[in-house]
Amino acid sequence: MEKIESHIHSYLRTVEWKDNKVVLIDQTKLPNELVFVEYDDFNQVADAIRTLVVRGAPAIGVSGAFGLALAALQSKGSTKEELISDLEKAKKILFETRPTAVNLGWGLDRIMKIANAGISVDQIKESVISEAKKMAEDDIKINKTMGKNGSVLFDDNDTIMTHCNAGALATVAYGTALGVIRAIKESGKNIKVIATETRPVQQGSRLTAFELKHDGFDVSLIPDTAVGYTMANGLVNKVIVGADRIVRTGHVFNKIGTYQVATMAKQHQIPFYVAAPLSTFDMKTNAKDVIIEMRNGSEVTGIGDKKTAPDGIGVINPAFDVTPPELITGIITEKGIAKPPFEESIKKLFEDT
Ligand code: MRU
């Protein structure tokens, strides 16, 4: 693994394929250092997803696809069957890194479909790489379309709260919820953003605050515990978040704490929006069957390297929670905005595809 500082674009580019390697922004180093890591082994990509070097549903979907592209290059198989068998093994390792975001499985399946349709070993390797590259470019286009679709829901002088990081750093570039925020600004409206800190891993303070400040937004940071205060005191007009998985009933799985923000927004009649591409929808699984990732207790008993809890304390550390549809005003996608009743409006998004 190598650290490089020469991959800087004029915008934040989280995931990239360069010279047959995967290049990622190392998000564990933010906000203190903007460094890039390069991988030529799919096992390194799996580790990067597991350890949150790369995180955010669309970003891990595309990283998983690039991981499979590396696995194809690493394979010593001389027949199609041998190559597919190597890819299946790599897919399993990549898939098991994080269970909740549906984009990871979606990205891996899309690459396997291309591989299975291929004929020769060389042609499969080539087509897998070009499909993963296409997925990365599509992600940016989709985010921009979603941004435009969502921007009409926001007004000049709005102050918008967001939770976790659903920005350029959670996608290939531009972002989902923060993509909408970018598009609002690009449409000429003046807006302010409030970012929640998002304990335990602080994607809000480390990533959203960094990203929005980097791109010149008026952003203020609050501790998660100040959500009620800011809403009760009229400091927030609207909320927008991303999603890791949305099921057909409109239940939204997103970063732990999203449910609390949505409940508080309902209490104060503040519109609560979700922005997510169609690749984040899971039309097959029931909400009660979705696996919520439980992460290591050390994320809660300390902040960074500093211990903030007594040794031996029991910890409950779910990475995601579920926001029920009755708390959601609208779900913004690249195909338009789904409004309640969500079961019908979500179905329609897919019928029109
Ligand atoms: O644990 P993380 O940082 O991967 O969780 C990310 C989130 O919950 C994001 O809000 C979600 O993936 C939306 S990303 C556009």
Side-chain angles (χ1 to χ4, degrees):
M1 192 202 302
E2 204 192 325
K3 288 180 192 169
I4 323 115
E5 308 212 10
S6 60
H7 293 294
I8 299 180
H9 292 266
S10 56
Y11 60 97
L12 287 171
R13 171 93 188 197
T14 303
V15 188
E16 195 165 20
W17 180 264
K18 254 190 186 169
D19 305 326
N20 284 345
K21 288 184 187 141
V22 181
V23 181
L24 301 174
I25 291 179
D26 183 348
Q27 301 193 32
T28 64
K29 300 281 191 300
L30 290 171
N32 300 320
E33 284 177 282
L34 179 59
V35 291
F36 295 81
V37 282
E38 268 190 1
Y39 301 123
D40 55 11
D41 182 332
F42 77 87
N43 289 293
Q44 294 171 312
V45 176
D47 268 348
I49 297 174
R50 210 177 286 118
T51 58
L52 310 184
V53 166
V54 62
R55 32 63 55 199
I60 64 176
V62 173
S63 300
F66 280 140
L68 274 187
L70 288 181
L73 289 181
Q74 287 171 262
S75 171
K76 302 226 168 0
S78 57
T79 63
K80 175 179 172 180
E81 289 65 36
E82 285 166 356
L83 174 56
I84 296 290
S85 154
D86 285 342
L87 287 178
E88 285 294 355
K89 283 180 209 146
K91 179 189 164 184
K92 186 168 184 302
I93 290 169
L94 288 159
F95 182 71
E96 285 172 356
T97 52
R98 299 200 72 191
T100 307
V102 76
N103 305 60
L104 181 56
W106 167 87
L108 296 171
D109 284 343
R110 191 162 145 178
I111 295 297
M112 287 311 297
K113 201 168 159 201
I114 291 290
N116 280 306
I119 300 157
S120 71
V121 166
D122 287 347
Q123 183 256 319
I124 293 174
K125 289 187 182 186
E126 223 172 86
S127 58
V128 157
I129 293 170
S130 71
E131 182 71 4
K133 282 163 82 174
K134 182 174 182 308
M135 284 167 70
E137 296 319 307
D138 284 352
D139 180 76
I140 303 174
K141 283 188 209 138
I142 286 169
N143 291 340
K144 291 194 171 166
T145 307
M146 192 157 44
K148 276 214 179 86
N149 290 346
S151 64
V152 299
L153 299 167
F154 295 80
D155 299 308
D156 203 24
N157 296 322
D158 270 352
T159 300
I160 307 165
M161 180 179 283
T162 189
H163 185 62
C164 190
N165 174 267
L169 292 165
T171 60
V172 174
Y174 203 74
T176 56
L178 298 193
V180 173
I181 285 175
R182 281 181 213 286
I184 302 167
K185 194 175 176 195
E186 284 162 18
S187 75
K189 291 174 198 157
N190 186 27
I191 48 162
K192 290 186 176 146
V193 182
I194 291 183
T196 58
E197 187 184 16
T198 320
R199 275 287 285 154
V201 194
Q202 293 166 289
Q203 289 92 335
S205 59
R206 291 190 307 104
L207 308 178
T208 295
F210 165 81
E211 173 175 339
L212 291 181
K213 216 165 162 283
H214 177 273
D215 293 339
F217 283 84
D218 179 337
V219 53
S220 304
L221 183 64
I222 58 162
D224 299 318
T225 40
V227 169
Y229 174 93
T230 50
M231 289 187 179
N233 286 284
L235 304 179
V236 181
N237 307 96
K238 281 165 195 144
V239 179
I240 187 161
V241 298
D244 286 81
R245 189 184 295 236
I246 302 173
V247 297
R248 63 179 184 285
T249 46
H251 289 79
V252 169
F253 292 76
N254 194 48
K255 180 51 54 193
I256 194 71
T258 304
Y259 174 43
Q260 287 171 196
V261 176
T263 305
M264 203 49 87
K266 184 80 168 181
Q267 167 77 5
H268 295 286
Q269 288 98 47
I270 294 170
F272 180 93
Y273 294 105
V274 177
L278 293 193
S279 55
T280 298
F281 288 73
D282 172 358
M283 302 297 278
K284 294 194 193 109
T285 313
N286 292 319
K288 66 176 177 36
D289 297 324
V290 174
I291 298 169
I292 300 279
E293 176 184 5
M294 301 302 285
R295 291 190 65 88
N296 200 299
S298 61
E299 291 181 348
V300 182
T301 55
I303 299 183
D305 294 335
K306 192 170 167 20
K307 197 159 77 75
T308 55
D311 285 337
I313 189 77
V315 173
I316 303 168
N317 185 21
F320 302 99
D321 61 23
V322 195
T323 298
E326 59 273 19
L327 301 182
I328 300 168
T329 312
I331 303 178
I332 302 156
T333 76
E334 71 272 33
K335 291 279 179 229
I337 301 162
K339 295 250 173 82
F342 287 110
E343 195 133 13
E344 272 169 43
S345 56
I346 291 174
K347 197 165 159 225
K348 196 152 185 332
L349 290 176
F350 283 86
E351 280 168 4
D352 295 347
T353 307

